Amino acid sequence: MSDSETDLIRNQKHNLPLLVTPELCAGRTYIVTGANTGLGFEAAKHLAKVGAAKVILAVRNQAAGEQAKRDIDEAAGAAGSSSVVEVWQLDLASYDSVRAFARRAAAELDRIDALIENAGVALGAREMAEGHIKSVTVNVISTFLLAVLLLPEMRKKAKLVADCQPRIVIVASRVGFIQPMELWEKIKDDPIKGMDAEDFVPFRTYPFSKLTEIFAGRHLAREVVPFEKTGIILNLVCPGFCVTNLARNAPPNIKQGIREQHEKYGRTADDGSRPILHGAVAGVESHGKLLHSCEDGEPDVPDWVKNDLEQQKRVWELVAKELEAVEPGSVSRLQEVA
């Protein structure tokens, strides 16, 4: 790792507060993607324990999801009819799966208090899905596709039930800020095309896909779905450097470095879930912002990200073009919501 990466990891806080409480979460409905393991699992477990009425584990592997449900029920002291956990199939590498999940949520859920988009993939070798490098498909396009498809439904449902403040939490990462700038300069005009290129190092697509999320998400929140018009809070959350299996596909030398950093500075998966949960209860002041360590992370967003509104717009428009190709009308319908 570079010195800047090491400094970021070494200085991250530990023993973070748990900001979800029965007062804030009881009786509410939450969707957590990638919830069968790691940060998503821990977040879902906390939500079940503080009295959520329904926690949807949105997972690619149904069997792994069912095991996660059993583990969460045991931790929450629930079983059978008392369980609030449901396992729904969602494969972000498939646009059809994303569309099917969104249709099911619209049809079956009376309310959606928070969509927590935690699922992500880091590649060790070049792998394609839906015509793009898989990190782009999963971390960027499908993540925004699910948000765009569910946002109008969340607003509609919130009008029909009491005390519902919908939130969309996109799990991003500050690791994109500390990548070699010459690589970003090379692809920034079209990061989707840049990461898709055959000569782009697959493992670098994770940090740059997360940076792409941040650029696009800031414009989406500020200009396309402002809170003042939609009533929905959308924020981006960096959970920090956590001991999970995210880097399982990394090249051996990088994996060894990450293992050593985990031992020295890594947050536990439980600790890493807490900034994500903060995003699920944060107030309107968090709309469009980056959060980390259960607090406002804007002071740590570099000026070249924060102030480049043209770049934010450009990246969102590239993402929006992909979304419209996948689901015509999905982005234009956001104007009706706003």
Side-chain angles (χ1 to χ4, degrees):
M1 289 189 177
S2 67
D3 290 343
S4 57
E5 287 175 291
T6 301
D7 288 343
L8 186 153
I9 294 165
R10 183 187 294 118
N11 295 328
Q12 68 179 350
K13 297 178 182 179
H14 292 264
N15 301 313
L16 299 174
L18 183 63
L19 299 178
V20 291
T21 64
E23 292 76 16
L24 294 174
C25 302
R28 290 165 170 77
T29 295
Y30 298 90
I31 297 170
V32 186
T33 71
N36 61 288
T37 188
L39 307 181
F41 171 81
E42 297 294 338
K45 182 168 67 175
H46 280 300
L47 291 169
K49 290 174 72 173
V50 297
K54 190 169 292 189
V55 180
I56 308 297
L57 310 185
V59 299
R60 179 180 58 83
N61 185 313
Q62 191 78 19
E66 294 294 344
Q67 181 60 56
K69 170 182 162 58
R70 290 190 288 271
D71 292 342
I72 291 171
D73 285 342
E74 181 179 356
S81 60
S82 65
S83 175
V84 302
V85 179
E86 297 182 14
V87 180
W88 290 20
Q89 207 278 333
L90 173 65
D91 182 0
L92 292 175
S94 164
Y95 298 148
D96 283 343
S97 180
V98 176
R99 284 188 288 248
F101 184 93
R103 287 194 298 269
R104 183 179 180 186
E108 297 185 21
L109 300 179
D110 295 330
R111 60 191 292 164
I112 303 173
D113 293 271
L115 167 63
I116 300 174
E117 299 213 70
N118 161 76
V121 63
L123 299 178
R126 185 173 169 81
E127 185 178 349
M128 305 299 286
E130 297 286 12
H132 295 286
I133 194 78
K134 194 173 182 179
S135 294
V136 168
T137 301
V138 172
N139 301 351
V140 181
I141 301 172
S142 285
T143 292
F144 281 108
L145 178 62
L146 185 59
V148 163
L149 292 177
L150 284 184
L151 191 148
E153 294 296 330
M154 293 171 72
R155 185 172 188 256
K156 185 189 309 180
K157 294 174 187 297
K159 291 181 176 181
L160 301 177
V161 296
D163 194 25
C164 180
Q165 172 54 74
R167 294 171 175 84
I168 296 175
V169 180
I170 296 177
V171 177
S173 176
R174 289 181 290 160
V175 71
F177 301 157
I178 52 178
Q179 296 305 300
M181 282 303 299
E182 62 270 18
L183 288 181
W184 178 248
E185 288 295 323
K186 182 179 177 181
I187 69 169
K188 72 175 187 177
D189 288 344
D190 191 339
I192 293 175
K193 181 179 179 181
M195 286 184 280
D196 281 347
E198 291 188 11
D199 62 348
F200 200 82
V201 178
F203 197 65
R204 290 287 187 187
T205 61
Y206 177 78
F208 282 117
S209 69
K210 291 299 178 178
L211 181 57
T212 300
E213 274 186 333
I214 291 172
F215 272 110
R218 292 176 78 89
H219 183 83
L220 171 65
R222 185 183 64 253
E223 301 294 341
V224 183
V225 289
F227 175 81
E228 295 77 12
K229 294 184 178 179
T230 67
I232 293 178
I233 296 170
L234 186 155
N235 51 48
L236 302 116
V237 177
C238 173
F241 184 70
C242 304
V243 182
T244 70
N245 63 357
L246 178 66
R248 62 188 178 276
N249 297 317
N253 61 320
I254 295 178
K255 189 183 297 185
Q256 178 60 30
I258 290 173
R259 187 180 299 115
E260 292 172 1
Q261 295 286 353
H262 276 166
E263 293 174 357
K264 293 179 181 178
Y265 315 117
R267 283 177 177 159
T268 64
D270 175 75
D271 225 12
S273 74
R274 296 178 181 223
I276 297 173
L277 292 169
H278 170 227
V281 296
V284 65
E285 71 282 352
S286 74
H287 182 72
K289 292 184 177 181
L290 180 72
L291 310 175
H292 74 76
S293 302
C294 299
E295 58 191 33
D296 183 358
E298 286 294 296
D300 296 313
V301 179
D303 287 343
W304 59 269
V305 175
K306 187 184 302 183
N307 298 334
D308 197 341
L309 303 187
E310 285 301 314
Q311 178 69 9
Q312 293 173 25
K313 180 181 179 181
R314 180 188 306 115
V315 175
W316 165 250
E317 288 178 346
L318 290 167
V319 173
K321 182 179 178 181
E322 295 287 338
L323 300 181
E324 281 292 302
V326 173
E327 185 66 17
S330 58
V331 175
S332 59
R333 280 194 292 272
L334 294 180
Q335 300 299 327
E336 299 173 9
V337 176

